[in-house]
Amino acid sequence: MTHKILIDTDPGIDDAMAIFYAALHPEIEIVGMTSVFGNVTTEIAARNAIVLAERAGQEIPVAKGAGKPLVQTPNPVSDYVHGAEGFGDMPAQDTTARPVDEPAHEFICRLINENPSEITLCPIGPLTNIALALRHDPTIAEKVKSVVIMGGGLERGNVSAYAEANIWNDPHAADEVFSAHWPLTMVGLDVTTQVVCDKPDFAAIAKASPKLGGFLNEAVQYYVNFYETHHGISGSQMHDPTAVIAITDPQYFTIENHALEVIVDGDRIGQTIRSTDPSRPKHKVPMGVDIDGVKRRFLTMFETGS
Ligand code: BDR
Ligand code: CA
């Protein structure tokens, strides 16, 4: 089965892992990408998405998306996690290609309308474009195949004790997305923090796949240093690629079903919680993961790569 996926992204080191994994996967077709602020500005995110597609040898249209959250004052970009240009210490990546001439939320709606029941929307950044798309055309909720998000977490946060970065960067947008009646899976920190690849893992994919694995190995050094310094972890938590792997390999996850909402102010801003509001739909929330299965899936994909 081919999965047609549309990736909304803020590349970003683990975004690059997710995009290369998807590009290499024989059963995934990346039909488009949209940029959002978060790890970097939306301009840099769009350029980086184009650069990653070019490096993977794929022609993927990229639409530029939101540069700021719906309501709140923007948080600073996460350059201390992903580097000034998004890929650790690597300098700005050059390309002459430009984003398509269509705003991200309209691009998302058009692709879903043109491919009813076929598109899996995979947001791996703040959910601003997704909320704007739902506002622009609420009927996409019935036409999308599924929505698989990297974000949130019921048991833990990363930017605070409560909040995960993608949700924290636009909690109002996330709350709109979780209140929509559509088939959504929230792949959050409950599982993504458990999947860790270390420096030898990345050295191995660099050897097997110099072009894509080599790029990740170079970019990830900065990310691993961040995890060592701030979290005492020897390696990289595999947030965004774990969300893509949940699309193709749901058997690696133990799923619970919960109505969700987001705290949009106060000390717990950005926290995703179980909702008791009966009007909210239940969404799938992976709470357990076969760590070795997901890691192996990711790492072996690069054995076939260039
Ligand atoms: C998420 O935040 C970003 O820094 C990563 O790219 C990932 O999407 C993890 O909390
Ligand atoms: Ca991301």
Short mmCIF file of all heavy atoms in Angstrom, two decimals, residues 93-136:
data_model
loop_
_atom_site.label_atom_id
_atom_site.label_comp_id
_atom_site.label_asym_id
_atom_site.label_seq_id
_atom_site.Cartn_x
_atom_site.Cartn_y
_atom_site.Cartn_z
N GLN A 93 21.99 26.15 3.86
CA GLN A 93 22.06 25.29 2.68
C GLN A 93 21.50 26.06 1.49
O GLN A 93 20.43 26.65 1.57
CB GLN A 93 21.24 24.01 2.92
CG GLN A 93 21.64 23.27 4.18
CD GLN A 93 23.01 22.63 4.04
OE1 GLN A 93 23.23 21.80 3.16
NE2 GLN A 93 23.93 23.02 4.91
N ASP A 94 22.23 26.01 0.39
CA ASP A 94 21.89 26.82 -0.79
C ASP A 94 20.93 26.11 -1.73
O ASP A 94 21.06 24.92 -1.97
CB ASP A 94 23.19 27.06 -1.55
CG ASP A 94 23.38 28.54 -1.78
OD1 ASP A 94 22.63 29.32 -1.17
OD2 ASP A 94 24.28 28.89 -2.58
N THR A 95 19.99 26.88 -2.27
CA THR A 95 19.16 26.35 -3.36
C THR A 95 18.62 27.53 -4.16
O THR A 95 18.41 28.62 -3.60
CB THR A 95 17.98 25.50 -2.84
OG1 THR A 95 17.18 25.11 -3.95
CG2 THR A 95 17.11 26.23 -1.84
N THR A 96 18.38 27.31 -5.43
CA THR A 96 17.77 28.37 -6.23
C THR A 96 16.27 28.15 -6.33
O THR A 96 15.53 29.02 -6.78
CB THR A 96 18.36 28.40 -7.66
OG1 THR A 96 18.25 27.08 -8.20
CG2 THR A 96 19.80 28.86 -7.67
N ALA A 97 15.80 26.96 -5.93
CA ALA A 97 14.37 26.67 -6.02
C ALA A 97 13.60 27.48 -4.97
O ALA A 97 14.16 27.85 -3.93
CB ALA A 97 14.14 25.18 -5.81
N ARG A 98 12.36 27.74 -5.25
CA ARG A 98 11.53 28.56 -4.37
C ARG A 98 10.24 27.80 -4.01
O ARG A 98 9.81 26.92 -4.75
CB ARG A 98 11.15 29.87 -5.08
CG ARG A 98 12.32 30.80 -5.32
CD ARG A 98 12.71 31.55 -4.02
NE ARG A 98 13.99 32.24 -4.16
CZ ARG A 98 15.17 31.73 -3.82
NH1 ARG A 98 15.27 30.52 -3.31
NH2 ARG A 98 16.28 32.42 -3.96
N PRO A 99 9.60 28.21 -2.90
CA PRO A 99 8.31 27.60 -2.59
C PRO A 99 7.27 27.90 -3.68
O PRO A 99 7.43 28.88 -4.43
CB PRO A 99 7.90 28.28 -1.28
CG PRO A 99 9.14 28.88 -0.73
CD PRO A 99 10.04 29.18 -1.89
N VAL A 100 6.24 27.07 -3.76
CA VAL A 100 5.14 27.32 -4.70
C VAL A 100 4.41 28.59 -4.29
O VAL A 100 4.51 29.04 -3.15
CB VAL A 100 4.16 26.13 -4.75
CG1 VAL A 100 4.86 24.88 -5.25
CG2 VAL A 100 3.50 25.88 -3.40
N ASP A 101 3.65 29.14 -5.25
CA ASP A 101 3.00 30.43 -5.03
C ASP A 101 1.59 30.22 -4.43
O ASP A 101 0.61 30.62 -5.03
CB ASP A 101 2.93 31.15 -6.40
CG ASP A 101 2.54 32.60 -6.23
OD1 ASP A 101 2.65 33.11 -5.10
OD2 ASP A 101 2.11 33.20 -7.23
N GLU A 102 1.52 29.57 -3.30
CA GLU A 102 0.23 29.28 -2.67
C GLU A 102 0.49 29.16 -1.17
O GLU A 102 1.42 28.45 -0.77
CB GLU A 102 -0.31 27.94 -3.22
CG GLU A 102 -1.72 27.60 -2.85
CD GLU A 102 -2.20 26.28 -3.52
OE1 GLU A 102 -1.35 25.50 -3.97
OE2 GLU A 102 -3.42 26.07 -3.56
N PRO A 103 -0.29 29.84 -0.34
CA PRO A 103 -0.04 29.71 1.10
C PRO A 103 -0.27 28.29 1.58
O PRO A 103 -1.14 27.57 1.04
CB PRO A 103 -1.06 30.66 1.75
CG PRO A 103 -1.82 31.30 0.65
CD PRO A 103 -1.42 30.70 -0.67
N ALA A 104 0.47 27.89 2.61
CA ALA A 104 0.45 26.49 3.06
C ALA A 104 -0.96 25.99 3.36
O ALA A 104 -1.33 24.88 2.97
CB ALA A 104 1.33 26.33 4.29
N HIS A 105 -1.77 26.79 4.05
CA HIS A 105 -3.09 26.25 4.46
C HIS A 105 -3.98 26.01 3.25
O HIS A 105 -4.76 25.06 3.23
CB HIS A 105 -3.75 27.16 5.50
CG HIS A 105 -4.11 28.52 5.02
ND1 HIS A 105 -3.19 29.52 4.85
CD2 HIS A 105 -5.30 29.03 4.63
CE1 HIS A 105 -3.80 30.61 4.41
NE2 HIS A 105 -5.08 30.34 4.26
N GLU A 106 -3.84 26.85 2.21
CA GLU A 106 -4.63 26.62 0.98
C GLU A 106 -4.10 25.41 0.22
O GLU A 106 -4.87 24.63 -0.36
CB GLU A 106 -4.61 27.88 0.09
CG GLU A 106 -5.38 29.03 0.70
CD GLU A 106 -5.40 30.27 -0.19
OE1 GLU A 106 -5.14 30.15 -1.41
OE2 GLU A 106 -5.67 31.36 0.35
N PHE A 107 -2.79 25.28 0.19
CA PHE A 107 -2.14 24.12 -0.45
C PHE A 107 -2.62 22.82 0.20
O PHE A 107 -2.96 21.85 -0.48
CB PHE A 107 -0.63 24.32 -0.31
CG PHE A 107 0.24 23.22 -0.85
CD1 PHE A 107 0.59 23.18 -2.19
CD2 PHE A 107 0.75 22.24 0.00
CE1 PHE A 107 1.43 22.18 -2.68
CE2 PHE A 107 1.58 21.24 -0.48
CZ PHE A 107 1.92 21.22 -1.83
N ILE A 108 -2.67 22.82 1.52
CA ILE A 108 -3.12 21.62 2.26
C ILE A 108 -4.56 21.29 1.86
O ILE A 108 -4.89 20.15 1.53
CB ILE A 108 -3.01 21.86 3.79
CG1 ILE A 108 -1.55 21.93 4.22
CG2 ILE A 108 -3.76 20.79 4.58
CD1 ILE A 108 -1.31 22.44 5.64
N CYS A 109 -5.43 22.30 1.87
CA CYS A 109 -6.85 22.07 1.53
C CYS A 109 -6.97 21.58 0.09
O CYS A 109 -7.75 20.65 -0.19
CB CYS A 109 -7.66 23.34 1.70
SG CYS A 109 -7.80 23.83 3.44
N ARG A 110 -6.22 22.18 -0.82
CA ARG A 110 -6.33 21.78 -2.24
C ARG A 110 -5.90 20.32 -2.42
O ARG A 110 -6.60 19.54 -3.07
CB ARG A 110 -5.48 22.72 -3.12
CG ARG A 110 -5.64 22.45 -4.61
CD ARG A 110 -4.99 23.50 -5.46
NE ARG A 110 -3.56 23.61 -5.25
CZ ARG A 110 -2.66 22.73 -5.67
NH1 ARG A 110 -3.03 21.65 -6.35
NH2 ARG A 110 -1.37 22.91 -5.44
N LEU A 111 -4.78 19.95 -1.84
CA LEU A 111 -4.31 18.56 -2.01
C LEU A 111 -5.30 17.55 -1.42
O LEU A 111 -5.55 16.50 -2.02
CB LEU A 111 -2.93 18.38 -1.37
CG LEU A 111 -1.79 18.34 -2.39
CD1 LEU A 111 -1.68 19.63 -3.17
CD2 LEU A 111 -0.47 18.03 -1.71
N ILE A 112 -5.86 17.88 -0.27
CA ILE A 112 -6.82 16.94 0.34
C ILE A 112 -8.09 16.86 -0.52
O ILE A 112 -8.63 15.77 -0.75
CB ILE A 112 -7.14 17.36 1.79
CG1 ILE A 112 -5.89 17.18 2.66
CG2 ILE A 112 -8.31 16.54 2.36
CD1 ILE A 112 -6.00 17.70 4.08
N ASN A 113 -8.55 17.99 -1.05
CA ASN A 113 -9.76 17.99 -1.89
C ASN A 113 -9.52 17.26 -3.21
O ASN A 113 -10.43 16.62 -3.74
CB ASN A 113 -10.22 19.42 -2.15
CG ASN A 113 -11.12 19.92 -1.03
OD1 ASN A 113 -12.20 19.40 -0.82
ND2 ASN A 113 -10.63 20.89 -0.27
N GLU A 114 -8.31 17.37 -3.74
CA GLU A 114 -8.01 16.71 -5.02
C GLU A 114 -7.78 15.20 -4.87
O GLU A 114 -7.78 14.47 -5.85
CB GLU A 114 -6.76 17.35 -5.66
CG GLU A 114 -7.06 18.73 -6.24
CD GLU A 114 -5.81 19.44 -6.75
OE1 GLU A 114 -4.69 18.87 -6.67
OE2 GLU A 114 -5.95 20.59 -7.21
N ASN A 115 -7.54 14.76 -3.63
CA ASN A 115 -7.24 13.34 -3.37
C ASN A 115 -8.09 12.83 -2.20
O ASN A 115 -7.55 12.45 -1.15
CB ASN A 115 -5.76 13.16 -3.02
CG ASN A 115 -4.83 13.64 -4.11
OD1 ASN A 115 -4.51 12.89 -5.01
ND2 ASN A 115 -4.43 14.90 -4.03
N PRO A 116 -9.42 12.84 -2.36
CA PRO A 116 -10.27 12.49 -1.21
C PRO A 116 -9.96 11.11 -0.66
O PRO A 116 -9.76 10.16 -1.42
CB PRO A 116 -11.70 12.58 -1.77
CG PRO A 116 -11.57 12.67 -3.25
CD PRO A 116 -10.19 13.15 -3.57
N SER A 117 -9.89 11.03 0.66
CA SER A 117 -9.62 9.79 1.42
C SER A 117 -8.24 9.20 1.16
O SER A 117 -8.00 8.03 1.48
CB SER A 117 -10.68 8.71 1.12
OG SER A 117 -11.96 9.22 1.34
N GLU A 118 -7.34 9.97 0.57
CA GLU A 118 -6.03 9.41 0.23
C GLU A 118 -4.86 10.03 0.99
O GLU A 118 -3.80 9.42 1.10
CB GLU A 118 -5.76 9.59 -1.27
CG GLU A 118 -6.60 8.69 -2.13
CD GLU A 118 -6.12 8.63 -3.57
OE1 GLU A 118 -5.10 9.29 -3.89
OE2 GLU A 118 -6.77 7.95 -4.35
N ILE A 119 -5.04 11.26 1.48
CA ILE A 119 -3.87 11.96 2.05
C ILE A 119 -3.76 11.73 3.55
O ILE A 119 -4.73 11.91 4.30
CB ILE A 119 -4.00 13.49 1.81
CG1 ILE A 119 -4.12 13.82 0.32
CG2 ILE A 119 -2.82 14.24 2.46
CD1 ILE A 119 -2.87 13.71 -0.48
N THR A 120 -2.57 11.35 3.97
CA THR A 120 -2.25 11.35 5.40
C THR A 120 -1.47 12.64 5.69
O THR A 120 -0.41 12.88 5.11
CB THR A 120 -1.39 10.13 5.79
OG1 THR A 120 -2.16 8.95 5.54
CG2 THR A 120 -1.00 10.16 7.26
N LEU A 121 -2.06 13.45 6.53
CA LEU A 121 -1.42 14.72 6.91
C LEU A 121 -0.51 14.42 8.08
O LEU A 121 -0.93 13.81 9.07
CB LEU A 121 -2.55 15.68 7.29
CG LEU A 121 -2.26 17.15 7.49
CD1 LEU A 121 -1.55 17.75 6.29
CD2 LEU A 121 -3.59 17.88 7.74
N CYS A 122 0.75 14.84 7.96
CA CYS A 122 1.72 14.51 9.00
C CYS A 122 2.42 15.79 9.50
O CYS A 122 3.49 16.15 9.00
CB CYS A 122 2.73 13.50 8.45
SG CYS A 122 3.91 12.95 9.70
N PRO A 123 1.81 16.48 10.45
CA PRO A 123 2.43 17.69 10.99
C PRO A 123 3.49 17.33 12.03
O PRO A 123 3.20 16.62 12.99
CB PRO A 123 1.26 18.43 11.66
CG PRO A 123 0.02 17.68 11.28
CD PRO A 123 0.46 16.28 11.00
N ILE A 124 4.70 17.83 11.82
CA ILE A 124 5.80 17.56 12.76
C ILE A 124 6.40 18.88 13.27
O ILE A 124 7.58 18.95 13.60
CB ILE A 124 6.86 16.62 12.13
CG1 ILE A 124 7.36 17.14 10.77
CG2 ILE A 124 6.30 15.21 11.99
CD1 ILE A 124 8.50 16.30 10.16
N GLY A 125 5.56 19.93 13.28
CA GLY A 125 5.93 21.22 13.84
C GLY A 125 4.71 21.78 14.56
O GLY A 125 3.70 21.08 14.74
N PRO A 126 4.75 23.05 14.95
CA PRO A 126 3.56 23.69 15.54
C PRO A 126 2.36 23.59 14.58
O PRO A 126 2.54 23.56 13.36
CB PRO A 126 4.01 25.14 15.74
CG PRO A 126 5.51 25.04 15.87
CD PRO A 126 5.93 23.94 14.95
N LEU A 127 1.15 23.58 15.13
CA LEU A 127 -0.03 23.20 14.33
C LEU A 127 -0.77 24.38 13.70
O LEU A 127 -1.94 24.26 13.30
CB LEU A 127 -0.97 22.37 15.20
CG LEU A 127 -0.37 21.00 15.56
CD1 LEU A 127 -1.14 20.33 16.70
CD2 LEU A 127 -0.34 20.10 14.33
N THR A 128 -0.09 25.50 13.54
CA THR A 128 -0.73 26.71 13.03
C THR A 128 -1.31 26.52 11.63
O THR A 128 -2.47 26.90 11.37
CB THR A 128 0.31 27.86 13.00
OG1 THR A 128 1.12 27.78 14.17
CG2 THR A 128 -0.38 29.21 12.92
N ASN A 129 -0.53 25.97 10.70
CA ASN A 129 -1.05 25.78 9.33
C ASN A 129 -2.25 24.85 9.31
O ASN A 129 -3.15 25.00 8.49
CB ASN A 129 0.02 25.17 8.42
CG ASN A 129 1.19 26.10 8.18
OD1 ASN A 129 1.04 27.32 8.19
ND2 ASN A 129 2.37 25.51 7.96
N ILE A 130 -2.24 23.87 10.20
CA ILE A 130 -3.31 22.86 10.20
C ILE A 130 -4.60 23.50 10.71
O ILE A 130 -5.68 23.29 10.15
CB ILE A 130 -2.91 21.64 11.07
CG1 ILE A 130 -1.47 21.18 10.75
CG2 ILE A 130 -3.91 20.51 10.88
CD1 ILE A 130 -1.17 20.87 9.30
N ALA A 131 -4.49 24.33 11.75
CA ALA A 131 -5.68 25.04 12.25
C ALA A 131 -6.19 26.00 11.18
O ALA A 131 -7.41 26.12 10.96
CB ALA A 131 -5.33 25.78 13.53
N LEU A 132 -5.28 26.69 10.49
CA LEU A 132 -5.71 27.63 9.43
C LEU A 132 -6.39 26.87 8.29
O LEU A 132 -7.36 27.36 7.70
CB LEU A 132 -4.50 28.43 8.91
CG LEU A 132 -3.93 29.46 9.89
CD1 LEU A 132 -2.62 30.05 9.34
CD2 LEU A 132 -4.95 30.59 10.15
N ALA A 133 -5.88 25.69 7.96
CA ALA A 133 -6.49 24.88 6.90
C ALA A 133 -7.91 24.48 7.31
O ALA A 133 -8.85 24.56 6.50
CB ALA A 133 -5.63 23.65 6.62
N LEU A 134 -8.09 24.06 8.56
CA LEU A 134 -9.43 23.67 9.04
C LEU A 134 -10.39 24.86 9.02
O LEU A 134 -11.57 24.69 8.72
CB LEU A 134 -9.33 23.15 10.47
CG LEU A 134 -9.01 21.68 10.65
CD1 LEU A 134 -8.72 21.40 12.13
CD2 LEU A 134 -10.15 20.79 10.15
N ARG A 135 -9.88 26.04 9.35
CA ARG A 135 -10.74 27.24 9.30
C ARG A 135 -11.11 27.56 7.85
O ARG A 135 -12.23 27.94 7.56
CB ARG A 135 -10.00 28.45 9.89
CG ARG A 135 -9.84 28.42 11.39
CD ARG A 135 -9.14 29.69 11.84
NE ARG A 135 -8.88 29.71 13.27
CZ ARG A 135 -8.35 30.75 13.91
NH1 ARG A 135 -8.00 31.84 13.24
NH2 ARG A 135 -8.15 30.71 15.21
N HIS A 136 -10.13 27.41 6.95
CA HIS A 136 -10.32 27.75 5.54
C HIS A 136 -11.33 26.82 4.89
O HIS A 136 -12.17 27.27 4.09
CB HIS A 136 -8.95 27.64 4.83
CG HIS A 136 -8.97 28.02 3.40
ND1 HIS A 136 -9.16 29.31 2.96
CD2 HIS A 136 -8.83 27.26 2.28
CE1 HIS A 136 -9.13 29.34 1.64
NE2 HIS A 136 -8.94 28.10 1.19
#
